[in-house]
Amino acid sequence: MKKKVIGIVGPTASGKTALSLPLAQKLSGEIICMDSMQVYRYMDIGTAKVTEEEADGVPHYLIDEFDPDEEYNVMIFQQRAKAYMEEIWAKGKTPILVGGTGFYINALLYDNEFTETDGDTAFREECYALAQEQGAEALFAKLKAVDPEYAEGIHANNVKRVTRALEYYHQTGQKFSEHNAEQKEKETPYDASVIILTMDREKLYERIELRIDLMLEQGLLAEVKGLLDKGYTPDLVSMQGIGYKEFIPYFNGECTLEEAVTQLKTNTRRFAKRQLTWFRRQVDGLWVNFSEVSHEEAMQTVLQYIEDH
């Protein structure tokens, strides 16, 4: 008999935390975070990490488990999340996977296979060198040329993921998007109910802007400066995350604070748009549009879906 797991995904600022916490309390669930940034210590405000007060006793996993200079990727997520799911089931509770990193939920639910290419790293180093010498956009252009479908779902600055997709194509001759589609065709080993959150684009963009304004009030600038003062360099994958990389030029005297904030809002809106595109194409489940239903109506719909499913 397949074990029960619930997924709540959606773009940034779509209301995942507000839905997942009461759901966890109603269903005796514990939350596994599917976020590529919230896993890092010291990065609280810019990642919109759930606070102890907000969590209200609901256990959370894969938050604050790595330092910003430690490696974290989908393979590590998959291994840790599977172990945590077993722990949660052993308590007689339900794992609830929550986050905006869509690649992570498919990797977990469909038990995608990943191979670490430890042998020949020459091509990988060439990619990193190209990004350093000519900029991330130059490397991203190479990916768009061979695998536009995969390129559409990731950010040009995510050099690591761009390189991984190029490396896979270089070694196998197969597009990474095709590989992922094949993995998705596998039947999930879990009894999985997935909820995808959305809302009208203008409303979502308004929420994003308000959230960023609140982050600044809460001390986002000091958080970024503190990370730099600790010695975490701008080239780290963690420091290239949205909410952090935009302020590096400001601290280097290369732009004004207003310009940095404008760039952050622009990048976040674009990211949310890419997330929605990815979820529409890659994730199957119940769509909940918060522009059309109240929070209470959404909760009733979700509970019924989980019961029926």
Side-chain angles (χ1 to χ4, degrees), residues 75-141:
M75 287 179 284
I76 297 170
F77 161 78
Q78 188 188 55
Q79 292 162 3
R80 291 216 175 190
K82 285 166 84 169
Y84 286 138
M85 285 163 63
E86 293 295 341
E87 283 183 30
I88 294 167
W89 284 320
K91 299 179 200 173
K93 299 193 172 185
T94 303
I96 302 179
L97 311 167
V98 181
T101 309
F103 188 39
Y104 282 14
I105 192 165
N106 277 358
L108 187 60
L109 293 187
Y110 296 99
D111 208 16
N112 289 2
E113 296 171 10
F114 298 99
T115 54
E116 191 67 90
T117 51
D118 292 324
D120 180 16
T121 62
F123 182 81
R124 190 185 314 168
E125 296 305 325
E126 282 177 25
C127 290
Y128 288 149
L130 176 65
Q132 193 166 24
E133 292 164 12
Q134 298 181 31
E137 286 288 350
L139 183 66
F140 189 61

Side-chain angles (χ1 to χ4, degrees), residues 33-300:
C33 180
M34 293 188 301
D35 189 287
S36 60
M37 292 293 293
Q38 291 185 0
V39 74
Y40 294 116
R41 301 180 186 98
Y42 321 123
M43 306 181 93
D44 303 332
I45 299 170
T47 65
K49 207 173 282 179
V50 66
T51 65
E52 197 173 326
E53 292 75 27
E54 287 171 329
D56 196 23
V58 174
H60 282 64
Y61 303 83
L62 288 175
I63 289 182
D64 288 341
E65 295 195 14
F66 290 80
D67 286 337
D69 57 357
E70 291 183 286
E71 183 175 10
Y72 187 64
N73 56 41
V74 66
M75 287 179 284
I76 297 170
F77 161 78
Q78 188 188 55
Q79 292 162 3
R80 291 216 175 190
K82 285 166 84 169
Y84 286 138
M85 285 163 63
E86 293 295 341
E87 283 183 30
I88 294 167
W89 284 320
K91 299 179 200 173
K93 299 193 172 185
T94 303
I96 302 179
L97 311 167
V98 181
T101 309
F103 188 39
Y104 282 14
I105 192 165
N106 277 358
L108 187 60
L109 293 187
Y110 296 99
D111 208 16
N112 289 2
E113 296 171 10
F114 298 99
T115 54
E116 191 67 90
T117 51
D118 292 324
D120 180 16
T121 62
F123 182 81
R124 190 185 314 168
E125 296 305 325
E126 282 177 25
C127 290
Y128 288 149
L130 176 65
Q132 193 166 24
E133 292 164 12
Q134 298 181 31
E137 286 288 350
L139 183 66
F140 189 61
K142 292 175 75 72
L143 179 61
K144 284 198 290 187
V146 299
D147 194 349
E149 296 85 0
Y150 186 73
E152 189 170 342
I154 62 173
H155 196 283
N157 285 342
N158 197 331
V159 172
K160 193 169 185 179
R161 281 183 66 186
V162 172
T163 297
R164 174 168 168 71
L166 283 169
E167 188 176 31
Y168 185 83
Y169 181 78
H170 174 73
Q171 292 175 337
T172 67
Q174 183 187 31
K175 295 179 180 180
F176 204 50
S177 57
E178 292 174 354
H179 167 72
N180 288 343
E182 287 172 4
Q183 293 292 324
K184 189 171 178 288
E185 288 302 311
K186 294 164 62 177
E187 184 181 347
T188 176
Y190 310 110
D191 173 12
S193 300
V194 180
I195 297 96
I196 308 117
L197 305 185
T198 187
M199 64 181 63
D200 292 345
R201 188 166 294 176
E202 288 309 311
K203 183 178 178 182
L204 180 62
Y205 288 173
E206 184 182 326
R207 283 172 60 93
I208 285 170
E209 300 227 352
L210 289 171
R211 172 184 275 194
I212 290 170
D213 291 340
L214 180 60
M215 286 176 173
L216 290 164
E217 288 175 21
Q218 292 171 332
L220 178 56
L221 267 182
E223 182 168 276
V224 179
K225 183 68 163 57
L227 287 158
L228 293 169
D229 290 345
K230 281 186 173 77
Y232 296 117
T233 54
D235 60 318
L236 291 171
V237 172
S238 60
M239 294 296 284
Q240 283 295 309
I242 294 175
Y244 296 89
K245 65 181 179 185
E246 290 84 3
F247 293 105
I248 306 297
Y250 167 69
F251 286 118
N252 288 340
E254 297 165 6
C255 75
T256 66
L257 178 57
E258 184 181 358
E259 288 170 336
V261 172
T262 298
Q263 189 63 56
L264 171 55
K265 290 180 176 180
T266 300
N267 288 347
T268 308
R269 287 194 301 268
R270 288 174 178 165
F271 178 55
K273 185 180 177 182
R274 284 195 307 275
Q275 285 176 299
L276 279 170
T277 299
W278 202 96
F279 290 130
R280 287 193 193 101
R281 292 182 177 180
Q282 300 288 342
V283 179
D284 299 321
L286 171 73
W287 281 82
V288 174
N289 189 330
F290 274 126
S291 296
E292 299 173 355
V293 296
S294 67
H295 193 275
E296 292 72 22
E297 289 169 330
M299 181 62 76
Q300 290 174 1

